[in-house]
Amino acid sequence: MTANADARLAPSQRLARGLKYSTVGPVDVTRGVVGLSLNTASAAAAELRKRYESGKLRRQLAAAAEAVAALPEILPELLSDAAPAKPKRRRRPLLIAAVAAAVLAGGAVAFSVVRRTRRPEPPSPLPPSVDVAPKP
């Protein structure tokens, strides 16, 4: 494959080929991911530019700027209306986690006990390789 044919691959094709071949895989995977990222970023930038030119984004940015400008006036009212924070209760989630861990551990022990009692150890098919009783 020539360099010209290699340069004409689309990023998604390059990614697919990189995943297919293991020798040039890491290079093609990296180039494919970078190419897809660049294509995605340029498409997003083009869409933002269209939205800004159409005025939709411009109106949204203006509304956001007005909301941020009015924030110092609204903030004291919001803080005075807020209820005092209650202390967090962490006992219950820890208790639930401990009970769940105990149940899982108990289930694992019960499973292993039941499995061992059901299947006795098979006798060894081979005779021992050394004499069991030593000769005097």
Side-chain angles (χ1 to χ4, degrees):
M1 189 171 265
T2 64
N4 292 339
D6 193 22
R8 285 180 280 192
L9 288 176
S12 59
Q13 292 170 333
R14 186 176 307 282
L15 179 62
R17 189 182 80 172
L19 293 173
K20 184 177 177 184
Y21 298 110
S22 62
T23 55
V24 291
V27 174
D28 277 343
V29 168
T30 304
R31 289 177 67 185
V33 168
V34 168
L36 286 174
S37 300
L38 290 175
N39 287 348
T40 303
S42 66
E47 180 64 28
L48 285 175
R49 187 172 41 253
K50 275 186 201 176
R51 284 178 54 197
Y52 187 78
E53 289 171 358
S54 71
K56 186 176 182 182
L57 184 63
R58 191 178 304 146
R59 287 189 300 272
Q60 289 175 350
L61 289 175
E66 289 175 15
V68 169
L71 192 59
E73 299 166 2
I74 299 172
L75 193 59
E77 296 172 8
L78 292 175
L79 292 177
S80 65
D81 292 342
K86 294 181 181 179
K88 291 184 179 180
R89 292 176 55 192
R90 289 203 154 186
R91 272 192 139 152
R92 181 170 260 163
L94 290 177
L95 179 66
I96 292 171
V99 168
V103 166
L104 285 174
V109 168
F111 177 76
S112 65
V113 167
V114 168
R115 187 171 178 165
R116 277 192 194 144
T117 57
R118 277 193 178 170
R119 222 182 338 163
E121 285 190 26
S124 177
L126 300 174
S129 61
V130 289
D131 290 334
V132 177
K135 295 181 180 176

